[in-house]
Amino acid sequence: VAPRPVAPRPVAPRPVAPRPKARPIAPLAVAPTPLGAARGAAPIAGRLPVVRRVLPVAKPFLKPTGAVKPPTVQTLATKKQTNGNVGQLALPGLLPPGIVSPDAITSLKRKLSTDAPDSCWDMLKKGVCPRGNKCPWAPCNGSLSLAIGPPAAKKAKVQQGSGIKGRTDEDRARAKEDYAKWRDERMVCSTDPGCVNVTSTNWWYCQTCLVCLAEMDFTLYSRNHAAGAKHAANYKALGGMSLKPGFSRPDPNLKLPMAQPDMKRFLDAGNWAGSKVLSLGEQDYSFSLAVAQMQERVGQYVQLVATSYLAAHDPHEPEVHVRDDGERAHYRRKSLPGMDGALLKNISTLEGLGGVALHSVDATDLAGTLLSQTADAPWDIIVFPFPRASLVRGVDPRNPRLLKFFFRSVRDTGILTHGGLIQLLLLRTQYPDWDTACVAGEAGFKLIKHAPLPEGFYQSREMSGKPWVPKDAEIYVFQQM
């Protein structure tokens, strides 16, 4: 049987899509020659340029080796080698036979000279130099020969201060009893069970939170403490509080900014010319002397009674200026210090002008300590320069308590004329911190003006007699409402 011829099937050619031409990209660098061609040769006709992406070459991290300048403080020596004596710097590889092995080397601080030669980093850090005797740097080349000393002796700790505690636990317990009395005097408990007014400023009084019976200034109370969890828990345990009728919580901060000190403005605020003046809390009587001299200059007969809280000067009581906080908290005096003769000199000058100097007058008990010594009451102006209950720095509720009972004593004794003025000299920060506006308002007085204290009017002193210069101080003038 003959094979049947098979006709071949026609095969349609596949369409071939043309290759897209390569386009150079802006950030890429285009090489004008193909691979393998000589640099600068002309491109071959009919071939596309080769596109290469130029990447930054990453530099491998190499640990520093070789020569480095020695640091100012180098750690390399042995305790066994020094033995507390000055010797030569010993390094591994250069140690004399039988001295010490490299494993026994410990780290001790030694100072090297700033003009020391370049040093071998490998030897200083590892104790081994791979270059051996061929190393050109010290100490491998034997050029390093520096004197070292014994380890520096540790300085003995010196106790700073007196070691006296500022306040004992008994002092704090007594203080909390006073704060609890203040709360009972001003507040009514169990009146806010929903704790709506838990963050109110009504509960801060005389550097004390009456909810927690804790000491703090107004800034700390208003910014942090009032919103705290402990304060909220104590307020809830009391059932909430409210002010009793007749009590208020004025803003302790001053409204007007502090002006520039000016002597004329200060004297106008004092208004001592033509007035009958009582001064309290004197130290060296320089403030009262300045007032008396001003009254004399304007042609007025001096009308001034100057008093001090401390007794008359006793030369047998030593004058000590304390600086430690613990000693300041417990500092006490019975008599006025001599202050290098300034006390007696100022009192003599004051009495020569017609003024009167008294001692042992308590500003919180004017009826019992002042009126028994003089019959000059009443007075037009009662001025109290820089009242202070103690030398304690920072928060001390005894200071606002002193102001509180001072205003009450003036009101109850009736030693101020109708329309008379009470004047306080305080630092600008003490006015709000000591809650001056509130304690004055409770006694029926309000602030009417204040002026900065200029330098040079008188010499301020602490209870110990130590002089100090008030910074940002003002005179605050109150009048009875």
Side-chain angles (χ1 to χ4, degrees):
V1 180
R4 184 181 295 177
V6 180
R9 291 183 181 181
V11 179
R14 293 181 180 181
V16 180
R19 290 186 177 182
K21 295 182 178 181
R23 296 180 301 170
I25 304 174
L28 303 180
V30 179
T33 59
L35 290 174
R39 184 180 299 272
I44 302 175
R47 293 191 180 183
L48 296 176
V50 179
V51 178
R52 297 179 184 175
R53 184 181 295 273
V54 179
L55 300 176
V57 179
K59 297 182 180 180
F61 175 76
L62 299 177
K63 190 173 182 179
T65 60
V68 293
K69 201 70 176 177
T72 56
V73 177
Q74 183 63 50
T75 61
L76 198 56
T78 62
K79 293 182 180 178
K80 292 183 179 180
Q81 287 175 268
T82 57
N83 291 326
N85 301 320
V86 176
Q88 295 295 321
L89 181 64
L91 295 171
L94 297 179
L95 299 176
I99 297 297
V100 69
S101 64
D103 297 335
I105 292 181
T106 57
S107 177
L108 297 175
K109 288 187 177 181
R110 295 290 182 268
K111 292 185 178 181
L112 297 183
S113 174
T114 55
D115 56 352
D118 291 341
S119 303
C120 177
W121 182 275
D122 295 320
M123 181 62 73
L124 293 176
K125 288 296 183 182
K126 300 178 181 179
V128 178
C129 178
R131 290 170 294 276
N133 297 331
K134 297 181 180 180
C135 181
W137 301 293
C140 300
N141 59 2
S143 61
L144 181 60
S145 179
L146 301 176
I148 59 174
K154 293 184 178 180
K155 294 182 179 179
K157 292 184 178 180
V158 180
Q159 183 180 0
Q160 300 294 334
S162 64
I164 302 176
K165 291 185 178 181
R167 296 171 66 184
T168 62
D169 295 337
E170 291 78 8
D171 295 336
R172 295 185 178 89
R174 286 193 296 267
K176 282 199 171 185
E177 293 177 0
D178 292 339
Y179 307 154
K181 293 179 182 179
W182 292 354
R183 180 169 64 189
D184 297 339
E185 177 186 344
R186 294 177 56 86
M187 307 296 175
V188 179
C189 296
S190 303
T191 56
D192 184 19
C195 299
V196 178
N197 300 318
V198 62
T199 60
S200 173
T201 57
N202 292 340
W203 323 137
W204 182 82
Y205 176 72
C206 291
Q207 292 190 331
T208 307
C209 172
L210 296 183
V211 174
C212 306
L213 303 183
E215 301 172 357
M216 64 194 68
D217 57 23
F218 182 73
T219 302
L220 176 61
Y221 175 86
S222 58
R223 294 184 180 179
N224 302 100
H225 178 81
K230 184 177 180 180
H231 175 83
N234 292 334
Y235 186 82
K236 185 176 181 180
L238 294 171
M241 296 192 304
S242 61
L243 287 171
K244 288 183 178 181
F247 290 90
S248 61
R249 171 68 269 174
D251 186 359
N253 295 308
L254 294 166
K255 304 300 181 183
L256 299 177
M258 185 173 180
Q260 292 296 325
D262 181 74
M263 184 63 73
K264 183 178 183 305
R265 182 177 180 178
F266 173 77
L267 296 178
D268 291 344
N271 194 28
W272 299 302
S275 301
K276 193 177 179 182
V277 182
L278 168 67
S279 66
L280 301 171
E282 274 285 4
Q283 279 298 116
D284 64 354
Y285 287 77
S286 59
F287 179 86
S288 299
L289 178 59
V291 173
Q293 290 173 342
M294 188 202 67
Q295 290 182 344
E296 185 189 36
R297 283 195 301 268
V298 298
Q300 171 197 346
Y301 178 74
V302 175
Q303 303 180 76
L304 174 65
V305 175
T307 68
S308 67
Y309 172 72
L310 298 177
H313 173 61
D314 182 4
H316 299 289
E317 184 176 9
E319 181 175 342
V320 181
H321 298 164
V322 292
R323 301 180 60 182
D324 179 80
D325 287 342
E327 293 179 345
R328 291 175 68 89
H330 299 281
Y331 181 81
R332 297 290 185 274
R333 283 195 66 90
K334 294 182 180 180
S335 65
L336 288 167
M339 292 164 278
D340 297 329
L343 172 66
L344 299 180
K345 178 182 178 182
N346 292 339
I347 291 179
S348 176
T349 307
L350 174 65
E351 292 176 342
L353 295 174
V356 178
L358 302 177
H359 306 291
S360 302
V361 175
D362 187 352
T364 63
D365 184 19
L366 296 173
T369 59
L370 174 65
L371 298 183
S372 60
Q373 300 188 56
T374 180
D376 289 345
W379 289 273
D380 302 323
I381 295 176
I382 300 177
V383 55
F384 199 165
F386 294 105
R388 195 73 186 246
S390 70
L391 295 181
V392 176
R393 299 183 180 97
V395 175
D396 187 0
R398 290 176 292 181
N399 293 317
R401 181 174 58 183
L402 170 62
L403 297 183
K404 174 181 179 178
F405 290 109
F406 161 64
F407 279 106
R408 290 186 179 184
S409 181
V410 173
R411 178 197 63 187
D412 297 341
T413 53
I415 59 175
L416 194 64
T417 60
H418 180 72
L421 305 176
I422 292 181
Q423 300 173 350
L424 295 176
L425 267 69
L426 298 171
L427 299 180
R428 177 82 176 192
T429 56
Q430 290 175 344
Y431 183 89
D433 285 348
W434 292 5
D435 207 7
T436 310
C438 186
V439 296
E442 289 178 350
F445 294 89
K446 65 177 180 179
L447 180 68
I448 59 174
K449 57 184 174 180
H450 55 95
L453 171 66
E455 294 185 6
F457 181 74
Y458 86 108
Q459 176 60 67
S460 305
R461 292 182 184 270
E462 294 182 349
M463 184 193 307
S464 63
K466 179 182 178 180
W468 67 289
V469 179
K471 184 179 180 182
D472 296 335
E474 290 186 303
I475 181 172
Y476 299 95
V477 183
F478 299 86
Q479 193 172 36
Q480 198 161 13
M481 293 185 288

